[in-house]
Amino acid sequence: MIHATSHVSSTLGPLFTIVIGAALILVAVRYLGKLLKLLMVGRARDILIKAVGRNAYLAMASGMGVTVVTQS
């Protein structure tokens, strides 16, 4: 990325790199959301809705659990 933006001025080069990085993150999040929609069907969806729908603390704990499992 640095080599690709080396011909741009010293001020615009890093800014251009940040814009490209942010755009790539947004694209990745969009496709991850679509993928998760496809995966969350049937029994897994029902379990998640039951766990999240009860109260805010349980929803937060469920989110933390899913994050820990995915990061492992």
Side-chain angles (χ1 to χ4, degrees), residues 1 3 10 12 16-17 21-22 26 34-35 43-44 50 54 63 65:
M1 189 57 68
H3 179 66
S10 63
L12 292 178
F16 186 65
T17 305
L26 292 174
K34 287 183 179 182
L35 179 65
R43 185 168 167 84
K50 285 180 186 177
R54 292 186 184 165

Side-chain angles (χ1 to χ4, degrees), residues 19-38:
V19 169
I20 290 173
L24 288 173
I25 289 173
L26 292 174
V27 168
V29 167
R30 181 176 179 183
Y31 284 113
L32 181 63
K34 287 183 179 182
L35 179 65
L36 288 175
K37 281 184 183 179
L38 291 174

